[in-house]
Amino acid sequence: AINSAISPTSVQPVAIARTPFAEKFAIPRQPQLAPAARAVIELLPPYNQPEALLGLEQVSHIWLLFQFHQAPADDPAAPRLRVRPPRLGGNEKLGVFATRSTHRPNGIGQSVVRLEKVEGTRLWVSGVDLLDGTPIIDIKPYVPYADSIEGAHNGIASEAPATVSVSWQPDALAAAQQQAQRLGEDVAALIEQCLAQDPKPAYQQPDPERRYGVRFWDINVIWHYPQSGGICVLAVETGG
Ligand code: SAM
């Protein structure tokens, strides 16, 4: 049998992503924005054989094609043709095919990530923008001569989004360092890199009294927007 381009098709995940991101909020909007976001890609049967990764150790970056498994499914009877990209402040609509929106036909996402290490049937990667448990439907090597286009431009997203400064309450930083010991991960760097992307919706005027929170692994991170600007991390705690 051959793949048919025009008949309905079904895909099976080849792997699953184990990432720090327990919820969608505060995940960077693209890969590479948080290099401290490390993940393990675990191959699934029948592809969970080391030979399926033979040669991949010669490659610095890989493409992950994945399923936005926690995004709303598109309804072909009422397809969503236009979406509101967050970087336009949530007001302007663009064609779904002009954006990297998670709400799209077939729910397929793609991310280039750094390949740190190949170990048996596991890939250690970094710079991910994937929710924990994301089904991976294909893995391909990044090919610099073909995938990097000199002089390419995108008038909607011409450069990485501006970042905000992140400061710490001393207790929160100490707690992050403790968690780093426990998890063997640079927890403080991950928090700083993700919060620097400013997770709150662009239209929201930050009230200094308001508390924001997100979970990375089993850690709750609490922050606010002080009057003086930027973000201040107030607490890093487990449990609850
Ligand atoms: N780099 C990919 C792409 O261009 O196709 C994803 C871009 S999308 C704008 C990134 C966002 O998708 C993240 O900030 C996160 O909120 C969301 N996301 C990540 N994994 C997801 C999943 N498995 N299901 C639903 N949403 C997900």
Side-chain angles (χ1 to χ4, degrees):
I2 56 163
N3 292 319
S4 164
I6 52 172
S7 64
T9 185
S10 72
V11 292
Q12 288 298 316
V14 298
I16 186 154
R18 306 287 178 204
T19 85
F21 302 122
E23 55 183 286
K24 285 186 272 184
F25 189 49
I27 303 181
R29 297 200 176 104
Q30 284 299 339
Q32 314 304 324
L33 297 172
R38 306 202 310 152
V40 178
I41 310 299
E42 292 178 6
L43 293 184
L44 294 173
Y47 296 100
N48 57 341
Q49 304 291 332
E51 64 184 291
L53 301 173
L54 204 62
L56 201 58
E57 72 287 344
Q58 298 174 60
V59 165
S60 70
H61 291 75
I62 54 176
W63 283 103
L64 298 175
L65 301 183
F66 62 93
Q67 199 183 12
F68 285 116
H69 73 310
Q70 295 295 321
D74 205 37
D75 175 4
R80 191 194 290 209
L81 303 179
R82 296 198 296 165
V83 297
R84 294 177 203 273
R87 72 186 289 147
L88 299 182
N91 301 319
E92 205 181 319
K93 284 191 168 183
L94 289 176
V96 63
F97 299 126
T99 82
R100 296 291 192 95
S101 168
T102 62
H103 185 151
R104 59 192 316 111
N106 300 313
I108 293 174
Q110 57 181 94
S111 295
V112 180
V113 299
R114 170 177 276 281
L115 179 59
E116 306 278 355
K117 182 170 64 169
V118 180
E119 203 179 67
T121 58
R122 296 164 133 210
L123 300 177
W124 296 76
V125 298
S126 64
V128 302
D129 58 347
L130 307 181
L131 197 56
D132 186 36
T134 294
I136 306 297
I137 57 176
D138 207 351
I139 300 167
K140 304 192 190 202
Y142 181 81
V143 179
Y145 80 80
D147 293 346
S148 158
I149 313 286
E150 217 187 311
H153 69 99
N154 179 331
I156 304 157
S158 54
E159 52 193 24
T163 56
V164 301
S165 67
V166 178
S167 60
W168 294 82
Q169 286 285 331
D171 287 354
L173 185 55
Q177 283 155 353
Q178 253 177 16
Q179 296 299 330
Q181 292 276 322
R182 179 176 68 96
L183 295 168
E185 292 285 341
D186 193 343
V187 174
L190 180 70
I191 293 172
E192 282 186 13
Q193 291 167 7
C194 293
L195 297 193
Q197 300 295 316
D198 195 2
K200 85 172 153 36
Y203 56 81
Q204 242 175 46
Q205 276 307 316
D207 170 356
E209 296 304 311
R210 181 165 178 174
R211 298 304 182 246
Y212 290 80
V214 72
R215 200 153 67 87
F216 293 153
W217 299 285
D218 57 348
I219 302 171
N220 292 311
V221 181
I222 316 288
W223 72 93
H224 82 137
Y225 292 83
Q227 210 94 58
S228 50
I231 280 178
C232 179
V233 186
L234 298 173
V236 171
E237 49 200 26
T238 51

